[in-house]
């Protein structure tokens, strides 16, 4: 499948795509000149994450005109985090830039990233200076999430850092070894370390269309983030259990003494019911937290491939991606798994 090892381009750009047909032309019009101005050679690896619009057709034509534009098409929507992982698996550049397709990540920032890379930085992240492009509710929730993550997460996330960044080949190789399904890329970028530096940039408004992240998806993503990077939510219940038990012991001694001194008195139905309801609630919540972790363990132990590829345009199959090709009928395109 891979006859000779051809040298990769200087820079690869990975762009996850989910129904971005309207943004592709404007993106290419700005991205290609920006890249031509700062590197010798480049490729742009689009990862179609199960788009239902004509994104694929547009990119197919774009590849015919300019073979530096390549496409990886998933068999369905696997989510942005997985799309980034697939892009990193297939990017051959000496450095890789990850960016969104909606022009919220300005292509004109890439030369500044490349400059930092040439200075020797391996993990150059764009740092959002303001979040006014997001709705106030999303901003408030984001702030809350980072506050909680900062307190209980076991990895420090740099302020304002997101997916818009440049990683050198060594950092990319490190990320490729992480095959977890519940992917919280921001945490993984920080976890791998390497010489890192932030470059501030302004997030514009989305060029066309709407954010692909509903609040439900964001909450799920936030839970994935926290649970992938700390077991503190599990530990809380150990402490809560100890405190409640200590309280119950104190209460027991109090009632014992009172009964010995003043005799039995029956009333107390209300306080009994209230504490019963309260502690059943506490137990259910702690079971729920346990369940969340068990569910994630279940998802990981199944060891399913991270994604299924329906089609590759301008890209070879990867050696590190598990392949389920049947050599007998090579003519029909079949999904690849990784
Ligand atoms: N995206 C994706 N799969 C998804 C959702 C989003 O590949 O399931 C892509 C999307 O096409 C865009 C990027 O991820 O290129 C960021 O998405 P979006 O702009 O909707 O997110 P936001 O800017 O609101 O965080
Ligand atoms: Mg966006």
């Amino acid at each position: 499948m891979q006859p000779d090892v051809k040298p990769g381009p200087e820079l690869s750009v990975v762009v996850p795509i989910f129904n971005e047909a309207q943004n592709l032309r404007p993106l290419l019009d700005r991205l290609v000149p920006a890249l031509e101005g700062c590197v010798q050679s480049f490729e742009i690896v689009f990862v179609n994450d199960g788009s239902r619009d004509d994104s694929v057709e547009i990119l197919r034509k774009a590849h015919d005109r300019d073979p530096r534009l390549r496409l990886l098409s998933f068999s369905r929507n696997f989510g942005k985090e997985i799309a980034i992982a697939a892009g990193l698996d297939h990017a051959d550049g000496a450095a890789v830039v990850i960016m969104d397709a909606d022009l919220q990540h300005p292509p004109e920032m890439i030369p500044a990233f490349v400059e930092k890379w040439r200075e020797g930085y391996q993990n150059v992240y764009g740092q959002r200076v303001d979040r006014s492009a997001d709705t106030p509710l999303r901003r408030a929730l984001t702030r809350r999430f980072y506050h909680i993550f900062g307190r209980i997460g076991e990895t420090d996330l740099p302020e304002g850092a997101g997916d818009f960044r440049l990683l050198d080949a060594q950092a990319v190789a490190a990320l490729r070894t992480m095959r977890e399904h519940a992917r919280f890329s921001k945490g993984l970028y920080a976890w791998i370390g390497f010489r890192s530096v932030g470059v501030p940039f302004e997030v514009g408004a989305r060029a066309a269309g709407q954010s692909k992240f509903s609040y439900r998806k964001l909450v799920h993503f936030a839970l994935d983030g926290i649970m992938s990077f700390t077991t503190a939510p599990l530990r809380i219940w150990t402490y809560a259990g100890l405190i409640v038990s200590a309280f119950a012991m104190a209460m027991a001694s109090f009632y014992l003494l009172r009964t010995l001194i003043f005799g039995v008195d029956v009333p107390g139905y209300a306080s009994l019911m209230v504490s019963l309801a309260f502690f059943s609630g506490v137990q259910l919540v702690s079971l729920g937290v346990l369940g969340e972790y068990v569910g994630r363990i279940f998802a990981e132990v199944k060891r399913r491939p991270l994604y299924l590829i329906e089609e590759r345009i301008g890209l070879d199959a990867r050696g590190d991606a598990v392949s389920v090709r049947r050599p007998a009928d090579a003519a029909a395109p079949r999904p690849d798994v990784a």
Side-chain angles (χ1 to χ4, degrees):
M1 207 56 227
Q2 289 149 311
D4 49 346
V5 184
K6 53 177 191 294
E10 189 178 3
L11 191 72
S12 299
V13 180
V14 168
V15 189
I17 299 289
F18 181 48
N19 299 335
E20 301 284 7
Q22 284 171 291
N23 290 322
L24 292 174
R25 230 19 291 167
L27 172 70
L28 287 172
D29 287 346
R30 282 172 59 183
L31 182 55
V32 172
L35 294 174
E36 280 170 345
C38 73
V39 288
Q40 293 287 327
S41 56
F42 66 87
E43 64 175 358
I44 306 175
V45 179
F46 290 98
V47 184
N48 166 40
D49 185 16
S51 296
R52 285 178 287 268
D53 62 3
D54 42 6
S55 299
V56 174
E57 296 321 310
I58 294 172
L59 291 171
R60 203 193 301 276
K61 287 198 193 101
H63 170 77
D64 292 341
R65 277 195 303 273
D66 183 348
R68 294 173 300 184
L69 313 181
R70 310 172 200 278
L71 175 68
L72 207 63
S73 214
F74 283 173
S75 61
R76 65 167 170 87
N77 179 256
F78 280 87
K80 178 187 177 187
E81 302 297 307
I82 305 283
I84 290 175
L88 292 179
D89 286 346
H90 289 77
D92 282 331
V96 180
V97 165
I98 302 165
M99 67 186 297
D100 289 358
D102 57 0
L103 290 168
Q104 286 195 291
H105 296 162
E108 294 74 22
M109 286 305 298
I110 295 177
F113 288 6
V114 169
E115 203 172 303
K116 286 286 175 202
W117 170 49
R118 292 195 175 127
E119 281 171 26
Y121 290 102
Q122 297 174 282
N123 195 341
V124 184
Y125 52 90
Q127 227 167 353
R128 294 181 78 145
V129 283
D130 80 314
R131 292 188 173 268
S132 50
D134 290 346
T135 62
L137 176 60
R138 180 161 170 180
R139 273 207 306 271
L141 289 175
T142 306
R143 193 153 2 99
R144 198 75 227 128
F145 170 76
Y146 283 108
H147 180 76
I148 295 172
F149 197 100
R151 290 192 60 163
I152 66 173
E154 279 147 21
T155 300
D156 285 334
L157 298 182
E159 183 84 29
D163 290 315
F164 187 32
R165 62 177 61 228
L166 177 148
L167 300 160
D168 86 336
Q170 199 179 6
V172 171
L175 285 172
R176 281 184 193 149
T177 63
M178 295 187 233
R179 308 310 289 177
E180 60 208 76
H181 287 248
R183 291 185 87 77
F184 182 62
S185 301
K186 286 187 222 351
L188 299 179
Y189 304 135
W191 188 89
I192 57 169
F194 296 108
R195 284 189 298 280
S196 310
V197 67
V199 178
F201 78 102
E202 299 248 352
V203 182
R206 196 169 221 289
Q210 283 181 347
S211 171
K212 308 296 185 291
F213 287 90
S214 58
Y215 284 107
R216 197 177 65 87
K217 257 183 165 179
L218 284 173
V219 168
H220 197 97
F221 184 52
L223 281 181
D224 270 350
I226 290 188
M227 298 201 173
S228 312
F229 282 89
T230 177
T231 49
L234 290 174
R235 221 170 311 129
I236 289 169
W237 299 108
T238 314
Y239 294 114
L242 285 173
I243 293 167
V244 170
S245 308
F247 184 71
M249 294 295 271
M251 222 158 70
S253 324
F254 170 77
Y255 283 124
L256 180 68
L257 280 179
R258 205 177 66 163
T259 311
L260 288 178
I261 298 167
F262 300 107
V264 188
D265 92 56
V266 177
Y269 175 76
S271 58
L272 208 71
M273 282 319 282
V274 168
S275 65
L276 201 76
F278 175 72
F279 291 113
S280 320
V282 169
Q283 281 173 15
L284 282 179
V285 172
S286 63
L287 264 179
V289 172
L290 213 71
E292 288 285 336
Y293 277 95
V294 173
R296 281 169 178 74
I297 295 168
F298 183 55
E300 303 292 347
V301 297
K302 280 187 278 191
R303 301 194 51 122
R304 287 194 185 150
L306 270 187
Y307 50 84
L308 293 172
I309 294 171
E310 189 180 308
E311 188 180 4
R312 298 165 198 269
I313 300 178
L315 290 162
D316 295 333
R318 292 295 116 151
D320 51 354
V322 190
S323 204
V324 284
R325 288 170 173 283
R326 280 171 304 166
D329 48 20
R334 285 170 307 278
D336 282 333
V337 299

